[in-house]
Amino acid sequence: MTATIHSDALIQASVPQPSAIEAHRASERFLRAIPRDFARQHLILSQGTGGDGAELLMHTESTDPAALFNIGVKLQCRTATEIGDAEAIATAIDQAYGAMEHTNPPSNDGNAAAFVLDGDDLSALLAEADRDLLATAGKAPLIKLVDGLLFEALTRSASDVHVQPLADRTLIRFRLDGVLHTVRELPVQLTAALVSRIKVMGRMDIAERRIPQDGRSTVTIGDRSIDMRISTLPTSYGERAVIRLLDNAQHLDDVSQLGMPQEVANRYLACARRSHGIILVTGPTGSGKTTTLYATLGGIAGPGLNIMTIEDPIEYELSTVGLVVSQSQVNTKKGVTFANGLRHILRQDPDVVMVGEIRDAETARTAIQASLTGHLVVSTLHTNDAPSAVTRLIDLGVEPYLVSASLSAVLAQRLVRLIHDGCGGTGCEGCLSTGFRGRSGLFELMVIDEALRGLISRRAELTEIRQAAKASGLRTLRDEGRRLIDEGRTSIAEVERVTGGAA
């Protein structure tokens, strides 16, 4: 939007206390004169008219005075302002513009916002499906569709959004608490346009549909910044896309916030505060290992430590939550692997090194050598339980005496869904009728003591190592699951689902 800046003041700003935000109070004149994207960018929304002209709600930290001035010019009236919460304003903007455009507005009861296209919007989308996707005119319905899906995914705390084309329809699925749920079915004719819009957001090549692509983007809701990792893959029915949503505001810097029992947290952090050694976090993909590593760094970070990471990819920018950490990323195209990236990091005088994953013998040997030369190394490994990490390292070719000398602790973990308090587990709209909402970690900590070091050095059988660990106080993943069952926080079936492969 452009407007002429006049010398006479059209803005009369006041700063009363924050008030309730009601989307229905937005004037139709404002909604038709001010583009939705402009309102979202500057976090400004009409709250009706008063004696002084238009009443506007804004967020002071992100509002450009020129934006307010231009709105006054566009509306041709004086404006008065009130201050509101950034995220609440963003939500109200989506509701107000959605209602004006004849969609069902997002619910206001605290549950995830609904997003429904009416017949006119759907017809517009179908008509433009084969048009030039880079043209800007007439793209509002498509942009609104993608924005609405992302908004709903974020309000439901989804970790991933899947766009999956089939022969006769396209499924929109959200991964909620580790489980995929179908939330929309769209006409198959929209697949190409929908995926292309997502690829544009990720700065990917929309003309190339025959090979997989990866991209990144960032969206905001109020003052929250959400990173998106985007992946596309050709299939027999067209390209499918998966968007990983990474909410920096949800980063956890305290292991107790992960659901780790206090006695386990105390023993684990005691190992993490040592000046050397290696700590491994194990579990399958999606069990929260990287989050635990980040929380570990948050628990030990201090002004006297040089903390560095090598990751694939970088999940969260730790500097945004106040941690002084240097993060680097694997780049196989340029020859940067975990192993040689770690070697370069060791020339940077680190105290603590986080290695995203130990995948091969070279990385394992380099990490262990680093831990034996005065560095604390934290990393992840794919094993079913804590004792199995020992045999996994040996299988990778690391000598048992090196594993014995370097290993400080192994933490195996899973994420288990929690019964939804709002419905007592019976299922409701807030939990998509699953009966679960939110997750907590199950943790199995094996601290390496002298008895275990002796067993590891002589290459003892896994069953013997496991028995010795239990004798030293190890509580298994299933033990921890039973504790949550007894507390009424999860179900037997859920614990069995996530611990099926654990001993």
Side-chain angles (χ1 to χ4, degrees):
M1 184 187 77
T2 59
T4 303
I5 303 297
H6 301 288
S7 58
D8 55 322
L10 295 179
I11 299 176
Q12 177 183 350
S14 60
V15 187
Q17 293 297 316
S19 58
I21 301 176
E22 300 177 7
H24 65 83
R25 290 178 57 189
S27 70
E28 183 177 349
R29 182 181 179 186
F30 177 94
L31 296 176
R32 294 194 179 281
I34 308 302
R36 175 178 177 272
D37 289 346
F38 184 91
R40 280 296 300 271
Q41 178 185 350
H42 297 286
L43 290 176
I44 303 174
L45 180 64
S46 163
Q47 286 288 273
T49 57
D52 293 326
E55 295 183 357
L56 303 178
L57 195 64
M58 70 175 189
H59 180 59
T60 54
E61 294 181 2
S62 58
T63 302
D64 184 349
L68 286 170
F69 192 98
N70 286 343
I71 287 175
V73 173
K74 190 73 173 178
L75 298 179
Q76 296 183 344
C77 67
R78 299 176 69 85
T79 61
T81 60
E82 294 183 10
I83 298 169
D85 174 73
E87 187 168 339
I89 293 174
T91 301
I93 288 171
D94 286 331
Q95 292 175 342
Y97 281 88
M100 184 193 70
E101 295 167 0
H102 309 295
T103 63
N104 294 332
S107 63
N108 214 15
D109 58 1
N111 293 329
F115 182 84
V116 180
L117 290 172
D118 66 8
D120 292 340
D121 284 333
L122 190 57
S123 297
L125 279 171
L126 290 171
E128 72 176 26
D130 295 324
R131 290 169 52 193
D132 180 3
L133 294 170
L134 291 178
T136 57
K139 291 303 171 71
L142 183 62
I143 294 172
K144 184 175 68 175
L145 172 62
V146 176
D147 287 355
L149 292 173
L150 292 174
F151 181 75
E152 182 177 358
L154 290 167
T155 53
R156 289 193 182 274
S157 299
S159 62
D160 302 85
V161 177
H162 289 232
V163 178
Q164 182 174 354
L166 301 176
D168 57 346
R169 65 197 187 282
T170 295
L171 302 181
I172 306 297
R173 302 203 287 174
F174 295 167
R175 187 173 295 281
L176 303 172
D177 298 326
V179 179
L180 277 175
H181 299 274
T182 299
V183 296
R184 297 285 183 277
E185 292 188 1
L186 299 176
V188 72
Q189 299 97 316
L190 293 181
T191 305
L194 183 61
V195 173
S196 291
R197 169 60 187 168
I198 293 170
K199 290 167 72 173
V200 167
M201 295 177 70
R203 298 177 178 85
M204 301 150 75
D205 184 357
I206 65 170
E208 179 56 76
R209 300 182 180 180
R210 298 166 297 176
I211 61 174
Q213 294 188 59
D214 295 305
R216 300 192 74 146
S217 185
T218 301
V219 295
T220 58
I221 295 183
D223 55 0
R224 287 169 57 196
S225 176
I226 314 296
D227 291 332
M228 301 192 306
R229 290 212 317 265
I230 302 170
S231 171
T232 62
L233 180 73
T235 73
S236 56
Y237 296 114
E239 284 184 293
R240 63 169 292 163
V242 175
I243 305 172
R244 168 66 56 87
L245 301 171
L246 303 169
D247 187 351
N248 288 319
Q250 299 299 314
H251 171 70
L252 299 169
D253 57 3
D254 184 343
V255 293
S256 64
Q257 292 179 266
L258 305 174
M260 189 180 294
Q262 195 58 53
E263 65 274 13
V264 175
N266 291 341
R267 296 174 65 209
Y268 175 72
L269 288 177
C271 295
R273 292 190 176 107
R274 296 174 182 172
S275 61
H276 61 278
I278 185 166
I279 294 175
L280 297 176
V281 180
T282 77
T285 300
S287 59
K289 299 186 298 297
T290 302
T291 300
T292 297
L293 290 187
Y294 285 154
T296 304
L297 298 183
I300 65 175
L305 292 179
N306 178 19
I307 301 177
M308 305 187 69
T309 77
I310 176 72
E311 307 173 53
D312 184 24
I314 294 173
E315 296 276 354
Y316 294 98
E317 297 288 346
L318 296 179
S319 61
T320 63
V321 294
L323 295 185
V324 181
V325 177
S326 296
Q327 295 175 267
S328 54
Q329 183 165 309
V330 166
N331 188 334
T332 53
K333 291 181 180 179
K334 296 184 178 180
V336 181
T337 64
F338 278 123
N340 62 30
L342 176 56
R343 283 196 294 270
H344 286 292
I345 283 176
L346 293 176
R347 297 170 190 157
Q348 294 283 313
D349 187 31
D351 298 292
V352 180
V353 180
M354 170 184 151
V355 181
E357 182 183 348
I358 292 178
R359 298 174 178 171
D360 52 51
E362 185 181 9
T363 306
R365 290 195 189 96
T366 307
I368 285 179
Q369 289 292 345
S371 72
L372 292 172
T373 54
H375 306 89
L376 177 71
V377 179
V378 295
S379 188
T380 70
L381 201 63
H382 283 278
T383 64
N384 286 327
D385 60 7
S388 298
V390 172
T391 55
R392 174 64 176 151
L393 289 174
I394 294 173
D395 289 343
L396 283 173
V398 181
E399 291 80 357
Y401 76 91
L402 290 177
V403 177
S404 170
S406 62
L407 196 59
S408 293
V410 182
L411 183 75
Q413 70 177 70
R414 300 289 191 278
L415 290 174
V416 63
R417 293 184 296 173
L418 300 176
I419 292 172
H420 184 208
D421 291 335
C423 63
T426 58
C428 66
E429 167 60 23
C431 61
L432 280 181
S433 301
T434 63
F436 296 98
R437 189 166 188 176
R439 288 188 291 179
S440 181
L442 301 180
F443 299 94
E444 174 182 293
L445 177 64
M446 182 177 73
V447 176
I448 309 300
D449 57 17
E450 290 306 314
L452 284 169
R453 292 191 193 282
L455 291 174
I456 296 170
S457 292
R458 64 178 178 85
R459 205 187 286 262
E461 294 292 332
L462 177 58
T463 53
E464 193 175 354
I465 293 174
R466 187 176 287 129
Q467 289 170 356
K470 289 180 179 179
S472 297
L474 176 143
R475 285 177 54 84
T476 67
L477 292 168
R478 292 192 176 184
D479 290 337
E480 288 300 299
R482 281 191 287 270
R483 178 178 59 83
L484 291 184
I485 294 169
D486 293 341
E487 293 174 357
R489 300 178 62 197
T490 192
S491 68
I492 295 174
E494 179 65 10
V495 171
E496 287 293 327
R497 182 182 71 86
V498 301
T499 63

